[in-house]
Amino acid sequence: MAILILNRFPAKLVFFKEWLQESGEELILFTPSYYENDFPEYDIVRGFENYVQSSLVEIEALQLHQERPIRRVLALDESDILRAARIRERLGLPGQDVASAVAYRDKVVMKSLLQDDVPCPAFQRLETGMELYDFVQEHGLPVVIKPIDGMGAMNTTLVHTAEELQPFYRKGRLTGMMVESYVPGTMYHIDGLVANDKLRLVSVGTYNDACLNYRANEGLYIRLLHPEEPIFQRLQAMTERVLAILPTPEHTSFHCEIFHTPDDQLIFCEIASRTGGGRISECVRQAYGVELDEAWSKLSCGLDVQLPETNVPRVLSAVYLIPKQPGRLVGMIEQFPFDWVQEYQPRMQPGMVSQGQLAAADTVGSVVFIAGDQTELAARHAELLAYIEQHVIWAPEEESVEAGR
């Protein structure tokens, strides 16, 4: 028997061969063509042009099953969740089905299932500018316009004025988009694992406001909370309610986002049946000793996983995503001189040119660091920012073209 892995990530971020070694099964990896030669240790590797959109991924999976029977299908990335579910259903395999995948991918379906039991902002699926116009007439501004299946705040727009609506009206066709009322306040993320239909690990963190306002090039800062902070238990309880209402898979990593408003309300934003991006997974690993994607992969293949008995972290952790600026990068950090920096992943090199940030996670690089308490974490964040400001240097570029993504 074989395990089919749908994988959009580079080899430096995923270690399926190591994670699934004890299964003793054949590992088949489907990946974008530009990564095809980066996985020589796998039994079969197939590269695909236009990987994210290509139906050949599913067709070749069905054909390959005739020669090498597939027992499990793994998919860790948002773009693979739905088609992995389609393959499972066609082959009669266990794991997340299509109804579950749609509920976790389509934000309108998601909120329609939740809105009677979980506070949600007003929302509307869009087809044309007329639905958008009617929504604004009823609910007012500001609003957020975004893809129904988006991720990482890509193609997400916060609209404050009637003038800012005009490009959407001119576009006319808005199929695949949605609009919802803007919710003021702090955005929290809740990450963890469901194993054997039980919530087994919960991590709570918060963003600065650069997640939605990434065009301001301020840099996204994400820090994890200690369970003793009062908001932690409230956010965990709402997340548990969301997981219970939605058709949640037996085993899954998850990434949930919830607003905390100035008048102390919790308002649901969205949830995904996959591990959070922006190196949140590394923050969780530092704090709890669990690699979410590894645990999720093992659980999905019937392998044993050791998980913490409590949600008390070993340390507090955070990640700062160094923002891109318009222009040419002329000075970059090779490594940080701080022993509390646990991971540094640069994504650009001197000489590369950028138009600025195109999404929240579209960055120069990421820095994960740890501390003993929130006071120390804040102090180290400030020290990190000062060092980055001094050593990451940009020069104007007359004709900027995107690079380093």
Side-chain angles (χ1 to χ4, degrees):
M1 301 293 282
I3 296 171
L4 172 63
I5 302 162
L6 307 184
N7 173 63
R8 192 177 67 87
F9 298 116
K12 67 179 181 180
L13 294 181
V14 288
F15 307 95
F16 295 105
K17 186 73 173 180
E18 175 185 332
W19 297 343
L20 304 177
Q21 185 174 5
E22 62 183 284
S23 74
E25 295 180 270
E26 190 174 43
L27 299 183
I28 302 170
L29 188 104
F30 286 6
T31 195
S33 56
Y34 45 81
Y35 291 146
E36 184 173 4
N37 296 323
D38 297 343
F39 297 92
E41 68 274 24
Y42 290 77
D43 297 290
I44 297 176
V45 179
R46 298 272 177 89
F48 295 85
E49 299 289 341
N50 190 31
Y51 174 82
V52 172
Q53 302 296 331
S54 179
S55 295
L56 287 173
V57 172
E58 294 169 61
I59 293 169
E60 291 203 21
L62 300 182
Q63 294 174 340
L64 192 60
H65 178 69
Q66 305 304 314
E67 306 169 13
R68 291 177 163 82
I70 296 168
R71 185 179 70 88
R72 292 286 192 277
V73 179
L74 297 185
L76 304 184
D77 184 65
E78 191 96 38
S79 62
D80 284 322
I81 295 293
L82 184 53
R83 64 179 169 193
R86 289 194 292 260
I87 294 171
R88 291 189 196 100
E89 286 202 356
R90 289 290 294 267
L91 299 182
L93 301 178
Q96 186 175 33
D97 59 21
V98 171
S100 172
V102 169
Y104 276 90
R105 286 289 287 128
D106 187 317
K107 296 172 177 47
V108 174
V109 173
M110 178 191 302
K111 289 177 179 175
S112 298
L113 292 171
L114 293 171
Q115 63 182 342
D116 290 341
D117 299 286
V118 175
C120 297
F123 64 94
Q124 170 73 49
R125 187 185 298 272
L126 299 176
E127 294 294 337
T128 72
M130 284 301 299
E131 287 94 352
L132 176 58
Y133 176 83
D134 291 339
F135 184 91
V136 172
Q137 293 302 302
E138 180 177 357
H139 299 286
L141 294 170
V143 298
V144 177
I145 302 171
K146 60 186 180 182
I148 60 172
D149 59 354
M151 52 186 174
M154 292 182 67
N155 301 311
T156 297
T157 305
L158 174 58
V159 176
H160 292 94
T161 68
E163 288 73 23
E164 292 172 345
L165 288 168
Q166 297 306 308
F168 294 96
Y169 294 155
R170 283 194 293 269
K171 185 176 182 180
R173 179 63 63 181
L174 298 175
T175 302
M177 303 295 287
M178 67 178 292
V179 59
E180 62 184 24
S181 295
Y182 171 72
V183 180
T186 302
M187 169 77 85
Y188 288 88
H189 60 89
I190 304 88
D191 299 86
L193 278 172
V194 172
N196 299 307
D197 292 318
K198 295 181 180 179
L199 184 57
R200 290 295 313 277
L201 177 67
V202 177
S203 166
V204 174
T206 184
Y207 305 105
N208 63 357
D209 66 359
C211 189
L212 190 56
N213 297 322
Y214 60 85
R215 290 181 178 86
N217 297 90
E218 295 176 357
L220 182 59
Y221 175 53
I222 305 169
R223 66 176 179 89
L224 298 193
L225 277 59
H226 194 280
E228 292 178 354
E229 295 189 47
I231 195 71
F232 190 107
Q233 301 302 326
R234 293 176 60 194
L235 292 163
Q236 177 176 337
M238 177 176 275
T239 303
E240 288 189 70
R241 193 153 76 250
V242 168
L243 291 167
I245 294 169
L246 294 180
T248 301
E250 179 184 10
H251 311 293
T252 189
S253 179
F254 64 85
H255 175 67
C256 182
E257 294 179 332
I258 297 173
F259 298 104
H260 182 218
T261 67
D263 59 352
D264 199 33
Q265 295 185 69
L266 295 183
I267 308 294
F268 175 78
C269 178
E270 59 191 48
I271 190 170
S273 56
R274 48 88 180 166
T275 300
R279 302 310 293 150
I280 289 174
S281 61
E282 181 60 22
C283 289
V284 172
R285 192 183 74 83
Q286 292 292 333
Y288 296 97
V290 176
E291 167 54 66
L292 291 173
D293 282 341
E294 176 184 4
W296 179 20
S297 298
K298 286 183 173 181
L299 288 165
S300 298
C301 293
L303 303 177
D304 292 332
V305 174
Q306 296 297 316
L307 298 174
E309 294 298 324
T310 72
N311 288 323
V312 178
R314 304 178 300 183
V315 295
L316 292 181
S317 58
V319 58
Y320 180 67
L321 304 184
I322 306 171
K324 288 182 177 179
Q325 305 293 339
R328 182 177 296 276
L329 183 65
V330 296
M332 186 56 175
I333 298 167
E334 293 187 7
Q335 63 181 29
F336 285 87
F338 310 122
D339 59 6
W340 38 267
V341 168
Q342 300 298 298
E343 179 194 79
Y344 170 48
Q345 290 190 352
R347 301 182 66 187
M348 292 186 69
Q349 298 175 354
M352 289 183 170
V353 176
S354 168
Q355 294 176 330
Q357 279 190 261
L358 302 179
D362 181 28
T363 66
V364 176
S366 61
V367 191
V368 176
F369 59 101
I370 60 173
D373 55 39
Q374 292 293 353
T375 300
E376 186 176 53
L377 201 67
R380 289 178 173 178
H381 177 222
E383 188 173 358
L384 198 70
L385 289 180
Y387 191 86
I388 290 169
E389 184 175 3
Q390 183 179 1
H391 292 87
V392 177
I393 303 170
W394 296 88
E397 182 75 11
E398 287 188 9
E399 296 184 2
S400 295
V401 292
E402 187 61 21
R405 294 196 66 194

